[in-house]
Amino acid sequence: MTDRGEAVENEQGWAWECDPSRAWVLGEMPDHHQALVSRIMDGLVDLAAMGIDPKSGSLYEDPAPMRLRTYEDEHLMVWYQTIRHRCRVYLKRVNL
């Protein structure tokens, strides 16, 4: 995984974007938290490009592939949506 940032595609053409906008999703979040979100989203994009969901395994076998998903660690929780036909992972919300 390499740091890419919002809307920068990986080698497979996948990228992440804030939905509906970076200001709405991340707002006044401190820079160090925004950097953490960016690293997490870059990782989720890499997994999505391989057809992998970090919690449930294969995206190919998911009965609801465009559902809202969550990823959490000890610092934050992100809500995101994987849209395979657009090669995008949309960040919907972040909780610290």
Side-chain angles (χ1 to χ4, degrees):
M1 183 183 80
T2 59
D3 287 339
R4 289 180 301 273
E6 185 179 6
V8 178
E9 295 181 354
N10 68 5
E11 295 80 23
Q12 293 80 25
W14 279 76
W16 67 273
E17 297 177 14
C18 288
D19 184 27
S21 72
R22 187 174 185 89
W24 189 86
V25 174
L26 299 175
E28 300 293 322
M29 187 180 292
D31 290 342
H32 66 281
H33 283 122
Q34 288 194 34
L36 178 59
V37 169
S38 183
R39 285 192 302 275
I40 288 171
M41 292 305 297
D42 286 344
L44 291 173
V45 164
D46 290 342
L47 289 173
M50 294 183 283
I52 299 171
D53 177 74
K55 287 186 177 178
S56 61
S58 176
L59 288 174
Y60 300 112
E61 299 172 7
D62 192 337
M66 295 192 314
R67 67 183 164 86
L68 195 59
R69 303 170 189 278
T70 61
Y71 175 84
E72 65 275 340
D73 68 9
E74 63 272 7
H75 303 290
L76 53 84
M77 174 184 272
V78 298
W79 279 263
Y80 65 97
Q81 186 178 29
T82 302
I83 309 296
R84 295 191 44 151
H85 67 276
R86 298 194 68 194
C87 297
R88 290 294 181 266
V89 178
Y90 292 103
L91 178 60
K92 301 287 189 174
R93 181 176 177 171
V94 178
N95 276 22
L96 299 176

